[in-house]
Amino acid sequence: MDAFFVSVEELFDPSLKGKAVVVGGKPDERGVVSAASYEARKFGVHSALPLRTAYKLCPHAIFVEGHPERYRDYSGRVYEILRRFSPLVEMASVDEAYLDMSGTERLHGPTLRAAHTLHEMMKAETQLNCSIGIATSRLVAKIASDQAKPNGILHVLPGVESRFLAPLEVRRIPGVGKVMEKNLHEVGIRLIGDLAILEEKTLEARFGKWGLALAGKAQGLDSGGWFDSEIGERGDPKSISHEHTFGVDTKDCGQLEATLAHLSEKVARRLREHHLFARTMHLKLRYSDFTTITRAHTFSSPTQLDIDLIEHTRKLLNDNWDPRRTIRLLGVNTSSFEHDQGQLDLMDGGRTERWRKALEAADALRDRFGESAVALGSGMRGRYKERVQDNPAALPGKEPAKPKKTGQ
DNA sequence: TCTGGGGTCCTAGGACCC
DNA sequence: TCTGGGGTCCTAGGACCC
C-alpha cells in the first residue's frame, strides 16, 4: 500500500489530502515518523526520522497521531480483496502482502491483467492506492513493487531478473541495511550487478551465511533469510512484547514498577488471546544515554499469567538496574511459546486455575469497557507484592476494581 | 538528527549432557 | 596432566524490516 498510514488518515480527514502530513505524533514529542505524505517527503521527511527533526525540515506539515486500530481494520479489508485473487496470500506486515498467483490464469487471466483488475478493485473498494510487483520470486516482486511506487504496476518477465536488478543499489535488497551496505561499499560493491559477478565462495568467506544468501539474491532468488519459504498464512507469533519510552527519563521506583506491571498485563493478555504460554521472558532496559540491556528469565513451566510476568520482570529490574542512572525505556518480551503449560506444577495448588478464571473475567471486562477498565493494583501503585504472594486468589475477585489512571 | 514500537532472524559463548 | 566431539538449552546483543 502506498503511504498507507497517511492515506488512511486522509479517509478520516479529507482536508489532509494533498498536504504535507506526518503520522507519528506531535512535533515536539519523543518519537519518530511512522509515515509521511509524498508532499512531506519532498522536504526530506521520511519514516523513522525523529519527529523533532521532521518539524525542523518541514514546519508547516500537519502532524497527526497514529491510529493502529484503523490501520488494522483497513489491512483486513485489503486482505479480503487479495483473497479473491489467490488462496495463497501472506500478509508480510500491516500494509504489504505476497500472493502466489500460480495456476490462477484460468480464473483471472494473465498475471498482468489480474494485477490491473486488483489495482482498480483496491481503489474502488478502499479508496487506497497500492503498487504491485510481479515476478518469479518474492524478492524480485518486492523490489519491483518498490520501483512501481507510487500507484504503479511493474512486471519483471521471467528470465530478465538479473538484468532488472543489476543497475540498482545493493541497499535495495531487503535485509541489506546501513551496516551491510557500508561493509559492501568498503569492498567496492555498490550495485546489485557488482554483487552478481562475485563468486559465491568469496561472499561466503567474507560475510558467512549471509554472504551466501546475498549471492543468491543478486541473481533474483529467494535464497536464505526471510523469503526462503512458501507463500501462505503466518503461523503463531515467535514473540510478543510491549515497551514504553518515558516522556521524560526517570529513576522513580514507583513509576518504573507501575510501568512494568502495565506492560506485563498487556503482554499476558495477548498471550491469552493467542492461547500461548511463554517459556522465557526478557526485560529490556534503556538508560538515558541509550545504552540498552536485556535480561532473561526462563520459567520452569510456561505461563500466560500477569503475575508471573510482573513478579519476574520486577526481580530482573531490581537485580540489574543501576539506580544511579536514569531510565529512558522499559520493555517486556516473551518468547519460546508452547500451546499448553506442560507438566502442571504439583505445588501450584490450583493457583494457576484461579488466576486463569480471574483474568478471563478481566479480559471480558476490557472487551466491554475498554483497555483501562481493569488493572492489577500494581499497575497503579508500587505496593502489591505482600498481598498477592500471601493470597493470590484473593486479589482480583475480592479487591474492588479501581479505575486505572491513563498515561503512566 | 537525538533517536518509537512491534516484530524476525542470526551469532556467539557458556553450561550441561552423553 | 593438559584436556574430544556432538548436541541442546539458555542468555545477550545486534542487524534489519515496516
Side-chain angles (χ1 to χ4, degrees), chain A residues 93-400:
Chain A
S93 69
V94 74
D95 71 338
E96 187 177 44
Y98 292 91
L99 281 74
D100 185 343
M101 296 297 285
S102 314
T104 64
E105 290 218 0
R106 200 169 272 232
L107 209 58
H108 297 109
T111 314
L112 184 57
R113 166 148 304 284
H116 274 113
T117 311
L118 167 55
H119 198 245
E120 279 167 25
M121 199 177 279
M122 191 64 76
K123 184 69 177 181
E125 296 192 22
T126 66
Q127 298 169 263
L128 296 170
N129 288 338
C130 64
S131 296
I132 303 174
I134 308 166
T136 52
S137 67
R138 299 221 241 185
L139 175 84
V140 177
K142 174 160 174 56
I143 296 177
S145 85
D146 290 341
Q147 292 287 107
K149 281 183 190 309
N151 204 25
I153 299 175
L154 186 57
H155 187 186
V156 178
L157 293 165
V160 304
E161 291 87 354
S162 314
R163 262 184 288 163
F164 164 70
L165 294 174
L168 303 177
E169 304 257 356
V170 287
R171 185 64 197 265
R172 306 301 296 277
I173 298 174
V176 174
K178 234 181 187 167
V179 174
M180 193 61 182
E181 181 183 42
K182 186 164 171 282
N183 289 338
L184 290 169
H185 282 179
E186 275 167 12
V187 291
I189 302 169
R190 304 195 76 88
L191 305 180
I192 301 181
D194 301 334
L195 208 52
I197 56 175
L198 258 57
E199 291 278 337
E200 261 190 8
K201 289 241 163 68
T202 319
L203 283 165
E204 190 179 12
R206 188 156 243 128
F207 301 112
K209 200 173 164 179
W210 239 108
L212 202 57
L214 220 44
K217 288 170 194 291
Q219 315 290 334
L221 304 172
D222 288 333
S223 56
W226 304 285
F227 290 113
D228 215 353
S229 59
E230 296 298 308
I231 292 172
E233 305 272 338
R234 297 268 199 180
D236 287 331
K238 303 275 194 300
S239 70
I240 291 177
S241 68
H242 284 283
E243 60 186 53
H244 177 72
T245 297
F246 296 105
V248 178
D249 298 347
T250 182
K251 51 170 96 170
D252 172 4
C253 216
Q255 187 183 15
L256 292 171
E257 292 193 345
T259 302
L260 278 185
H262 185 226
L263 292 169
S264 298
E265 285 176 30
K266 291 211 290 184
V267 169
R269 170 142 206 241
R270 286 181 54 212
L271 286 172
R272 293 191 291 276
E273 278 169 8
H274 287 275
H275 308 292
L276 293 173
F277 294 79
R279 177 162 288 285
T280 64
M281 54 148 298
H282 294 247
L283 168 75
K284 180 167 162 183
L285 196 167
R286 174 128 76 211
Y287 290 110
S288 296
D289 66 1
F290 226 73
T291 54
T292 307
I293 63 168
T294 61
R295 291 295 177 264
H297 172 78
T298 296
F299 294 101
S300 51
S301 78
T303 185
Q304 53 176 195
L305 298 185
D306 306 31
I307 31 157
D308 290 336
L309 296 183
I310 292 172
E311 191 179 316
H312 289 92
T313 224
R314 152 193 284 244
K315 180 163 170 22
L316 287 171
L317 175 70
N318 291 330
D319 291 350
N320 293 285
W321 168 39
D322 172 357
R324 290 165 303 187
R325 304 175 69 185
T326 48
I327 292 177
R328 177 188 177 90
L329 168 149
L330 287 176
V332 176
N333 184 47
T334 54
S335 54
S336 303
F337 296 141
E338 295 177 18
H339 284 278
D340 55 56
Q341 291 166 277
Q343 279 299 75
L344 216 79
D345 193 340
L346 289 174
M347 305 308 291
D348 182 272
R351 183 191 88 126
T352 300
E353 187 53 22
R354 290 199 301 276
W355 269 103
R356 200 186 60 71
K357 283 184 176 152
L359 292 165
E360 204 169 77
D363 290 344
L365 284 169
R366 293 195 185 102
D367 284 337
R368 282 186 64 192
F369 301 113
E371 228 20 72
S372 58
V374 199
L376 285 177
S378 50
M380 298 176 283
R381 283 170 279 107
R383 311 177 276 110
Y384 76 108
K385 206 171 178 180
E386 305 75 19
R387 283 171 301 153
V388 175
Q389 285 190 335
D390 291 344
N391 191 3
L395 209 161
K398 305 232 167 96
E399 291 267 312

Side-chain angles (χ1 to χ4, degrees), chain A residues 26-88:
Chain A
K26 298 190 180 70
D28 59 341
E29 272 176 358
R30 272 188 169 172
V32 298
V33 176
S34 294
S37 69
Y38 285 96
E39 194 57 36
R41 291 183 201 184
K42 290 180 189 165
F43 294 83
V45 178
H46 56 84
S47 39
L49 196 73
L51 289 168
R52 299 181 214 254
T53 312
Y55 180 71
K56 282 177 194 154
L57 291 173
C58 191
H60 66 280
I62 303 170
F63 287 77
V64 300
E65 216 75 48
H67 296 94
E69 342 77 50
R70 295 179 182 176
Y71 313 141
R72 269 196 298 275
D73 173 27
Y74 273 85
S75 185
R77 301 188 198 196
V78 166
Y79 176 76
E80 292 307 323
I81 295 170
L82 299 179
R83 275 302 301 269
R84 301 177 202 161
F85 289 83
S86 169
L88 297 176

